[in-house]
Amino acid sequence: MASNVIAFGLAIALLVSSSEALRILVFFPLYSKSHSILGHGVVNRLLEAGHEVVHITSFPREKSVANLTELSLEETGKQWKAAKANDETYKIKNLVGKGNFGDSIFFVYFTYEIHKAIFSAPELVEFLKDPSQKFDAVILEWFFSDVIAGIAPLFQCPLIWFGSTEAHWQTLKLIDEVPNPSYNVDIFSVSRTPLGFWERTVELYTMIKKMIILSVIFTPLEKSLYSDVFPSIAAAKGLTMPTYNEAIYNGSFIFFNSHPSIGTPFRLPQSAKYIAGYHIDSKVKPLPKDLQKLMDEAKHGVIYFSMGSNWKSVDMSDNMQTSLFNMFAKLKQTVIWKFEEDMEKVPANVHLVKWAPQQAILAHPNLKFFITHGGQLSTTEAIHFGVPVIGIPIAGDQYVNMQSVTNKGFGLTVTLAEDMADHIYEAIQKMLGSTAYKTKAKELSFIYHNRNQKPGDELVFWVEHVVATGGAKHLKSPALSVPCYQKMYLDVLAVLAAVLFIAFKLIKRVVRKEKSSKGKKEKTK
Ligand SMILES: *[C@@H]1O[C@H](CO)[C@@H](O)[C@H](O)[C@H]1NC(C)=O
């Protein structure tokens, strides 16, 4: 009996030691709820796999969790936000008719400022200096700034990037190469492949323009931030930093929060994977009782309306709010609207919630469709649960996402405008009148779920693989070390041109000699 127990204990001990727990640093510092959901998703999957995690986040959890340490940057985030908050620019009412503010030089500078603020947080600097902190890998969220790559050399461990959007040239260049713009669009482009003549021209122009802006303005700023932040921390640990370029091109792997079912199947190198949906728990938390009852009893179905966590419905103009309320009042369906304040006169069929358990709402069979700002998390969750969408993109990749949704046929796009209520009403009527959108959403949902591995398991597998192979050098794209002029064979062309030039000169000389000697002969005759 006792020997059995010992054998059992030994077997367990062997099992545990054979899949050794890793210690991973997860760096998702942005003061943005949706980005933090992606960070918490990474952390959850790693914890479930038995690993230990240190999470740098601006949204720490309420309860502590085993094997998890959080370094909160909430205060820095809040201060930074407060400095910007008097600036009303980002409220919905002020973004109407402004186009995509993500697609501007200003945005590039904005992302630099965010990272500068993050690295000036004393608690972060102290943590990075702490010699007792050791990691097997760091996972860093890339947000239009490469400078964070300096974190990996401080812990002498592999760097794993995380791209919160579809794959695009600014992230692909870090692990592979700048892809061909004739079939790889910019992250802020609304063109979808296959591109026409004009679209291809615009993509090429956009890319060249951005490359110039980045190399003239942004990269020098980043390099100086890099040398302001990292060498002193490294010195405190007795290390020397690699150069900025060595650091940013040394990533072992990249995860993309996208999937061909929702985005475009852009070609990826071996060191990259699409893992959209990994953040969704396998068991959806049940709805709160009142919402459960409301959704169960909605005879004509439910429409769910949320503009996400960054854009608040309270920040719409009064006129926009009133017209939306009036429009919803005309419907038979029950409307659940994520609205951050109490309102007095709300139509009987409209139910306001300050916070929406989005996944549970999307999972309810009585849900007809989802009216969204088209953020990547919202469109992913819609496909996860097979729900069609009406999207009102505001900024960033929401335009790209909604363009994909519309092209794929599981939704409709409405332009953000003061009078958008009428257009939303038209879209609602279109969607209520046709089963095509729902059918398409279900079909894409099947494709999304039909994978050889669940996205969360895939994430864990590749993190473990990178660590187990000491940085997965065998996956490193050979394209990474080939300079652009060699890819375009400019050196070969130069040699060819030189050879042709010399040959031409030689032939010319020979011909001239020949002529002049002939001339001499004729004279002597
Ligand atoms: C690059 O990454 C590898 C693998 O993680 C690591 O061993 C190496 O020290 C890194 N090199 C630089 C220059 O950071």
PDB file of all heavy atoms in Angstrom, residues 136 149 152-154 156-159 226 240-243 245-252 466 469-473 476, ligand 1:
ATOM      1  N   ASP A 136      12.268  33.339 -18.369  1.00  0.00           N
ATOM      2  CA  ASP A 136      12.598  32.426 -19.469  1.00  0.00           C
ATOM      3  C   ASP A 136      12.253  33.051 -20.814  1.00  0.00           C
ATOM      4  O   ASP A 136      12.782  32.657 -21.844  1.00  0.00           O
ATOM      5  CB  ASP A 136      11.832  31.107 -19.295  1.00  0.00           C
ATOM      6  CG  ASP A 136      12.286  30.371 -18.052  1.00  0.00           C
ATOM      7  OD1 ASP A 136      13.479  30.019 -17.993  1.00  0.00           O
ATOM      8  OD2 ASP A 136      11.465  30.173 -17.128  1.00  0.00           O
ATOM      9  N   ALA A 149      11.695  46.557 -27.322  1.00  0.00           N
ATOM     10  CA  ALA A 149      12.554  45.392 -27.525  1.00  0.00           C
ATOM     11  C   ALA A 149      13.727  45.393 -26.558  1.00  0.00           C
ATOM     12  O   ALA A 149      14.289  44.340 -26.258  1.00  0.00           O
ATOM     13  CB  ALA A 149      13.066  45.351 -28.956  1.00  0.00           C
ATOM     14  N   ALA A 152      14.099  42.715 -23.460  1.00  0.00           N
ATOM     15  CA  ALA A 152      14.610  41.330 -23.508  1.00  0.00           C
ATOM     16  C   ALA A 152      16.083  41.213 -23.109  1.00  0.00           C
ATOM     17  O   ALA A 152      16.415  40.362 -22.279  1.00  0.00           O
ATOM     18  CB  ALA A 152      14.345  40.713 -24.870  1.00  0.00           C
ATOM     19  N   PRO A 153      16.966  42.054 -23.656  1.00  0.00           N
ATOM     20  CA  PRO A 153      18.376  41.926 -23.265  1.00  0.00           C
ATOM     21  C   PRO A 153      18.621  42.139 -21.760  1.00  0.00           C
ATOM     22  O   PRO A 153      19.578  41.607 -21.213  1.00  0.00           O
ATOM     23  CB  PRO A 153      19.076  43.031 -24.071  1.00  0.00           C
ATOM     24  CG  PRO A 153      18.167  43.332 -25.198  1.00  0.00           C
ATOM     25  CD  PRO A 153      16.789  43.062 -24.717  1.00  0.00           C
ATOM     26  N   LEU A 154      17.724  42.887 -21.091  1.00  0.00           N
ATOM     27  CA  LEU A 154      17.894  43.100 -19.640  1.00  0.00           C
ATOM     28  C   LEU A 154      17.736  41.799 -18.870  1.00  0.00           C
ATOM     29  O   LEU A 154      18.235  41.666 -17.759  1.00  0.00           O
ATOM     30  CB  LEU A 154      16.871  44.127 -19.128  1.00  0.00           C
ATOM     31  CG  LEU A 154      16.993  45.552 -19.660  1.00  0.00           C
ATOM     32  CD1 LEU A 154      15.857  46.410 -19.128  1.00  0.00           C
ATOM     33  CD2 LEU A 154      18.347  46.144 -19.266  1.00  0.00           C
ATOM     34  N   GLN A 156      18.230  38.798 -20.584  1.00  0.00           N
ATOM     35  CA  GLN A 156      18.998  37.813 -21.351  1.00  0.00           C
ATOM     36  C   GLN A 156      18.134  36.619 -21.748  1.00  0.00           C
ATOM     37  O   GLN A 156      18.529  35.472 -21.548  1.00  0.00           O
ATOM     38  CB  GLN A 156      20.178  37.324 -20.493  1.00  0.00           C
ATOM     39  CG  GLN A 156      21.008  38.459 -19.924  1.00  0.00           C
ATOM     40  CD  GLN A 156      22.312  38.603 -20.658  1.00  0.00           C
ATOM     41  OE1 GLN A 156      23.195  37.792 -20.516  1.00  0.00           O
ATOM     42  NE2 GLN A 156      22.409  39.627 -21.480  1.00  0.00           N
ATOM     43  N   CYS A 157      16.980  36.906 -22.248  1.00  0.00           N
ATOM     44  CA  CYS A 157      16.074  35.808 -22.614  1.00  0.00           C
ATOM     45  C   CYS A 157      15.394  36.120 -23.942  1.00  0.00           C
ATOM     46  O   CYS A 157      15.441  37.259 -24.416  1.00  0.00           O
ATOM     47  CB  CYS A 157      15.044  35.603 -21.504  1.00  0.00           C
ATOM     48  SG  CYS A 157      13.868  36.945 -21.366  1.00  0.00           S
ATOM     49  N   PRO A 158      14.745  35.115 -24.563  1.00  0.00           N
ATOM     50  CA  PRO A 158      14.092  35.353 -25.854  1.00  0.00           C
ATOM     51  C   PRO A 158      12.966  36.387 -25.785  1.00  0.00           C
ATOM     52  O   PRO A 158      12.275  36.500 -24.770  1.00  0.00           O
ATOM     53  CB  PRO A 158      13.532  33.978 -26.234  1.00  0.00           C
ATOM     54  CG  PRO A 158      14.309  32.995 -25.441  1.00  0.00           C
ATOM     55  CD  PRO A 158      14.693  33.697 -24.168  1.00  0.00           C
ATOM     56  N   LEU A 159      12.806  37.092 -26.897  1.00  0.00           N
ATOM     57  CA  LEU A 159      11.755  38.105 -27.035  1.00  0.00           C
ATOM     58  C   LEU A 159      10.641  37.537 -27.913  1.00  0.00           C
ATOM     59  O   LEU A 159      10.889  37.067 -29.015  1.00  0.00           O
ATOM     60  CB  LEU A 159      12.359  39.342 -27.699  1.00  0.00           C
ATOM     61  CG  LEU A 159      11.574  40.643 -27.870  1.00  0.00           C
ATOM     62  CD1 LEU A 159      12.499  41.709 -28.451  1.00  0.00           C
ATOM     63  CD2 LEU A 159      10.350  40.543 -28.715  1.00  0.00           C
ATOM     64  N   TYR A 226      15.652  54.885 -26.402  1.00  0.00           N
ATOM     65  CA  TYR A 226      16.346  53.622 -26.110  1.00  0.00           C
ATOM     66  C   TYR A 226      17.619  53.894 -25.309  1.00  0.00           C
ATOM     67  O   TYR A 226      17.846  53.270 -24.277  1.00  0.00           O
ATOM     68  CB  TYR A 226      16.669  52.927 -27.430  1.00  0.00           C
ATOM     69  CG  TYR A 226      17.335  51.570 -27.306  1.00  0.00           C
ATOM     70  CD1 TYR A 226      16.587  50.416 -27.161  1.00  0.00           C
ATOM     71  CD2 TYR A 226      18.729  51.443 -27.382  1.00  0.00           C
ATOM     72  CE1 TYR A 226      17.198  49.169 -27.081  1.00  0.00           C
ATOM     73  CE2 TYR A 226      19.346  50.206 -27.302  1.00  0.00           C
ATOM     74  CZ  TYR A 226      18.574  49.072 -27.155  1.00  0.00           C
ATOM     75  OH  TYR A 226      19.180  47.843 -27.077  1.00  0.00           O
ATOM     76  N   THR A 240      25.725  44.971 -20.752  1.00  0.00           N
ATOM     77  CA  THR A 240      25.769  46.038 -21.755  1.00  0.00           C
ATOM     78  C   THR A 240      24.659  45.770 -22.764  1.00  0.00           C
ATOM     79  O   THR A 240      24.385  44.631 -23.108  1.00  0.00           O
ATOM     80  CB  THR A 240      27.122  46.100 -22.502  1.00  0.00           C
ATOM     81  OG1 THR A 240      27.540  44.775 -22.743  1.00  0.00           O
ATOM     82  CG2 THR A 240      28.156  46.881 -21.730  1.00  0.00           C
ATOM     83  N   MET A 241      24.049  46.839 -23.236  1.00  0.00           N
ATOM     84  CA  MET A 241      22.935  46.688 -24.171  1.00  0.00           C
ATOM     85  C   MET A 241      23.441  46.480 -25.596  1.00  0.00           C
ATOM     86  O   MET A 241      24.437  47.088 -25.991  1.00  0.00           O
ATOM     87  CB  MET A 241      22.063  47.954 -24.149  1.00  0.00           C
ATOM     88  CG  MET A 241      21.212  48.110 -22.917  1.00  0.00           C
ATOM     89  SD  MET A 241      20.014  46.775 -22.705  1.00  0.00           S
ATOM     90  CE  MET A 241      18.830  47.109 -24.013  1.00  0.00           C
ATOM     91  N   PRO A 242      22.724  45.643 -26.362  1.00  0.00           N
ATOM     92  CA  PRO A 242      23.008  45.613 -27.799  1.00  0.00           C
ATOM     93  C   PRO A 242      22.564  46.937 -28.421  1.00  0.00           C
ATOM     94  O   PRO A 242      21.891  47.735 -27.755  1.00  0.00           O
ATOM     95  CB  PRO A 242      22.148  44.456 -28.303  1.00  0.00           C
ATOM     96  CG  PRO A 242      21.059  44.296 -27.294  1.00  0.00           C
ATOM     97  CD  PRO A 242      21.632  44.754 -25.983  1.00  0.00           C
ATOM     98  N   THR A 243      22.902  47.185 -29.677  1.00  0.00           N
ATOM     99  CA  THR A 243      22.429  48.418 -30.315  1.00  0.00           C
ATOM    100  C   THR A 243      20.914  48.333 -30.501  1.00  0.00           C
ATOM    101  O   THR A 243      20.328  47.245 -30.445  1.00  0.00           O
ATOM    102  CB  THR A 243      23.065  48.610 -31.704  1.00  0.00           C
ATOM    103  OG1 THR A 243      22.604  47.540 -32.532  1.00  0.00           O
ATOM    104  CG2 THR A 243      24.574  48.617 -31.641  1.00  0.00           C
ATOM    105  N   ASN A 245      19.174  48.587 -33.234  1.00  0.00           N
ATOM    106  CA  ASN A 245      18.832  47.690 -34.337  1.00  0.00           C
ATOM    107  C   ASN A 245      18.995  46.223 -33.971  1.00  0.00           C
ATOM    108  O   ASN A 245      18.158  45.394 -34.315  1.00  0.00           O
ATOM    109  CB  ASN A 245      19.673  48.010 -35.579  1.00  0.00           C
ATOM    110  CG  ASN A 245      19.015  49.101 -36.407  1.00  0.00           C
ATOM    111  OD1 ASN A 245      17.811  49.346 -36.276  1.00  0.00           O
ATOM    112  ND2 ASN A 245      19.792  49.755 -37.237  1.00  0.00           N
ATOM    113  N   GLU A 246      20.079  45.912 -33.275  1.00  0.00           N
ATOM    114  CA  GLU A 246      20.278  44.513 -32.855  1.00  0.00           C
ATOM    115  C   GLU A 246      19.116  44.062 -31.972  1.00  0.00           C
ATOM    116  O   GLU A 246      18.640  42.939 -32.083  1.00  0.00           O
ATOM    117  CB  GLU A 246      21.592  44.371 -32.078  1.00  0.00           C
ATOM    118  CG  GLU A 246      22.825  44.289 -32.953  1.00  0.00           C
ATOM    119  CD  GLU A 246      24.127  44.423 -32.152  1.00  0.00           C
ATOM    120  OE1 GLU A 246      24.079  44.800 -30.957  1.00  0.00           O
ATOM    121  OE2 GLU A 246      25.167  44.170 -32.743  1.00  0.00           O
ATOM    122  N   ALA A 247      18.674  44.958 -31.106  1.00  0.00           N
ATOM    123  CA  ALA A 247      17.599  44.591 -30.170  1.00  0.00           C
ATOM    124  C   ALA A 247      16.272  44.400 -30.888  1.00  0.00           C
ATOM    125  O   ALA A 247      15.567  43.406 -30.665  1.00  0.00           O
ATOM    126  CB  ALA A 247      17.468  45.652 -29.079  1.00  0.00           C
ATOM    127  N   ILE A 248      15.907  45.328 -31.781  1.00  0.00           N
ATOM    128  CA  ILE A 248      14.556  45.243 -32.349  1.00  0.00           C
ATOM    129  C   ILE A 248      14.408  44.109 -33.377  1.00  0.00           C
ATOM    130  O   ILE A 248      13.307  43.637 -33.601  1.00  0.00           O
ATOM    131  CB  ILE A 248      14.066  46.588 -32.944  1.00  0.00           C
ATOM    132  CG1 ILE A 248      14.807  46.945 -34.219  1.00  0.00           C
ATOM    133  CG2 ILE A 248      14.151  47.721 -31.918  1.00  0.00           C
ATOM    134  CD1 ILE A 248      14.170  48.108 -34.961  1.00  0.00           C
ATOM    135  N   TYR A 249      15.521  43.710 -33.987  1.00  0.00           N
ATOM    136  CA  TYR A 249      15.416  42.610 -34.964  1.00  0.00           C
ATOM    137  C   TYR A 249      15.785  41.254 -34.370  1.00  0.00           C
ATOM    138  O   TYR A 249      16.079  40.321 -35.101  1.00  0.00           O
ATOM    139  CB  TYR A 249      16.281  42.911 -36.194  1.00  0.00           C
ATOM    140  CG  TYR A 249      15.756  44.092 -36.980  1.00  0.00           C
ATOM    141  CD1 TYR A 249      16.492  45.267 -37.107  1.00  0.00           C
ATOM    142  CD2 TYR A 249      14.499  44.033 -37.580  1.00  0.00           C
ATOM    143  CE1 TYR A 249      15.987  46.357 -37.819  1.00  0.00           C
ATOM    144  CE2 TYR A 249      13.987  45.121 -38.290  1.00  0.00           C
ATOM    145  CZ  TYR A 249      14.736  46.268 -38.403  1.00  0.00           C
ATOM    146  OH  TYR A 249      14.232  47.334 -39.105  1.00  0.00           O
ATOM    147  N   ASN A 250      15.762  41.141 -33.054  1.00  0.00           N
ATOM    148  CA  ASN A 250      16.173  39.873 -32.430  1.00  0.00           C
ATOM    149  C   ASN A 250      14.986  39.093 -31.857  1.00  0.00           C
ATOM    150  O   ASN A 250      15.165  38.191 -31.054  1.00  0.00           O
ATOM    151  CB  ASN A 250      17.224  40.162 -31.343  1.00  0.00           C
ATOM    152  CG  ASN A 250      17.975  38.916 -30.942  1.00  0.00           C
ATOM    153  OD1 ASN A 250      18.312  38.083 -31.784  1.00  0.00           O
ATOM    154  ND2 ASN A 250      18.197  38.758 -29.641  1.00  0.00           N
ATOM    155  N   GLY A 251      13.776  39.429 -32.252  1.00  0.00           N
ATOM    156  CA  GLY A 251      12.609  38.712 -31.746  1.00  0.00           C
ATOM    157  C   GLY A 251      12.613  37.265 -32.207  1.00  0.00           C
ATOM    158  O   GLY A 251      13.026  36.969 -33.332  1.00  0.00           O
ATOM    159  N   SER A 252      12.159  36.365 -31.328  1.00  0.00           N
ATOM    160  CA  SER A 252      12.124  34.948 -31.685  1.00  0.00           C
ATOM    161  C   SER A 252      10.820  34.561 -32.360  1.00  0.00           C
ATOM    162  O   SER A 252      10.780  33.603 -33.136  1.00  0.00           O
ATOM    163  CB  SER A 252      12.279  34.092 -30.422  1.00  0.00           C
ATOM    164  OG  SER A 252      13.526  34.309 -29.837  1.00  0.00           O
ATOM    165  N   VAL A 466       9.710  28.172 -27.964  1.00  0.00           N
ATOM    166  CA  VAL A 466      10.756  29.198 -28.060  1.00  0.00           C
ATOM    167  C   VAL A 466      11.738  29.053 -26.888  1.00  0.00           C
ATOM    168  O   VAL A 466      12.956  29.090 -27.071  1.00  0.00           O
ATOM    169  CB  VAL A 466      10.130  30.622 -28.080  1.00  0.00           C
ATOM    170  CG1 VAL A 466      11.170  31.684 -27.779  1.00  0.00           C
ATOM    171  CG2 VAL A 466       9.466  30.883 -29.425  1.00  0.00           C
ATOM    172  N   THR A 469      13.918  25.776 -27.058  1.00  0.00           N
ATOM    173  CA  THR A 469      14.940  25.745 -28.109  1.00  0.00           C
ATOM    174  C   THR A 469      15.878  26.948 -28.023  1.00  0.00           C
ATOM    175  O   THR A 469      16.549  27.273 -28.995  1.00  0.00           O
ATOM    176  CB  THR A 469      14.283  25.713 -29.511  1.00  0.00           C
ATOM    177  OG1 THR A 469      13.494  26.905 -29.665  1.00  0.00           O
ATOM    178  CG2 THR A 469      13.389  24.504 -29.685  1.00  0.00           C
ATOM    179  N   GLY A 470      15.869  27.593 -26.862  1.00  0.00           N
ATOM    180  CA  GLY A 470      16.814  28.691 -26.640  1.00  0.00           C
ATOM    181  C   GLY A 470      16.623  29.865 -27.593  1.00  0.00           C
ATOM    182  O   GLY A 470      17.593  30.466 -28.044  1.00  0.00           O
ATOM    183  N   GLY A 471      15.347  30.160 -27.960  1.00  0.00           N
ATOM    184  CA  GLY A 471      15.088  31.344 -28.783  1.00  0.00           C
ATOM    185  C   GLY A 471      14.679  31.030 -30.223  1.00  0.00           C
ATOM    186  O   GLY A 471      14.573  31.935 -31.039  1.00  0.00           O
ATOM    187  N   ALA A 472      14.464  29.734 -30.510  1.00  0.00           N
ATOM    188  CA  ALA A 472      13.945  29.305 -31.826  1.00  0.00           C
ATOM    189  C   ALA A 472      14.687  29.926 -32.997  1.00  0.00           C
ATOM    190  O   ALA A 472      14.082  30.432 -33.938  1.00  0.00           O
ATOM    191  CB  ALA A 472      12.439  29.604 -31.921  1.00  0.00           C
ATOM    192  N   LYS A 473      16.025  29.831 -32.946  1.00  0.00           N
ATOM    193  CA  LYS A 473      16.820  30.391 -34.058  1.00  0.00           C
ATOM    194  C   LYS A 473      16.526  29.670 -35.363  1.00  0.00           C
ATOM    195  O   LYS A 473      16.648  30.243 -36.445  1.00  0.00           O
ATOM    196  CB  LYS A 473      18.313  30.271 -33.731  1.00  0.00           C
ATOM    197  CG  LYS A 473      18.781  31.275 -32.693  1.00  0.00           C
ATOM    198  CD  LYS A 473      20.299  31.438 -32.723  1.00  0.00           C
ATOM    199  CE  LYS A 473      20.771  32.313 -31.581  1.00  0.00           C
ATOM    200  NZ  LYS A 473      20.629  31.658 -30.246  1.00  0.00           N
ATOM    201  N   LYS A 476      14.048  31.449 -37.556  1.00  0.00           N
ATOM    202  CA  LYS A 476      14.340  32.826 -37.979  1.00  0.00           C
ATOM    203  C   LYS A 476      14.311  32.938 -39.500  1.00  0.00           C
ATOM    204  O   LYS A 476      14.947  32.170 -40.204  1.00  0.00           O
ATOM    205  CB  LYS A 476      15.711  33.242 -37.428  1.00  0.00           C
ATOM    206  CG  LYS A 476      15.949  34.731 -37.503  1.00  0.00           C
ATOM    207  CD  LYS A 476      16.880  35.208 -36.402  1.00  0.00           C
ATOM    208  CE  LYS A 476      16.115  36.076 -35.452  1.00  0.00           C
ATOM    209  NZ  LYS A 476      16.724  36.489 -34.263  1.00  0.00           N
TER     210      LYS A 476
HETATM  211  C1  LIG B   1      19.019  37.528 -29.327  1.00  0.00           C
HETATM  212  O1  LIG B   1      18.177  36.514 -28.867  1.00  0.00           O
HETATM  213  C2  LIG B   1      18.845  35.340 -28.485  1.00  0.00           C
HETATM  214  C3  LIG B   1      17.806  34.265 -28.218  1.00  0.00           C
HETATM  215  O2  LIG B   1      16.889  34.653 -27.304  1.00  0.00           O
HETATM  216  C4  LIG B   1      19.749  35.656 -27.297  1.00  0.00           C
HETATM  217  O3  LIG B   1      20.419  34.495 -26.894  1.00  0.00           O
HETATM  218  C5  LIG B   1      20.723  36.730 -27.708  1.00  0.00           C
HETATM  219  O4  LIG B   1      21.508  37.120 -26.604  1.00  0.00           O
HETATM  220  C6  LIG B   1      19.992  37.949 -28.252  1.00  0.00           C
HETATM  221  N1  LIG B   1      20.930  38.883 -28.830  1.00  0.00           N
HETATM  222  C7  LIG B   1      20.881  40.197 -28.612  1.00  0.00           C
HETATM  223  C8  LIG B   1      21.883  41.019 -29.366  1.00  0.00           C
HETATM  224  O5  LIG B   1      20.065  40.687 -27.881  1.00  0.00           O
END
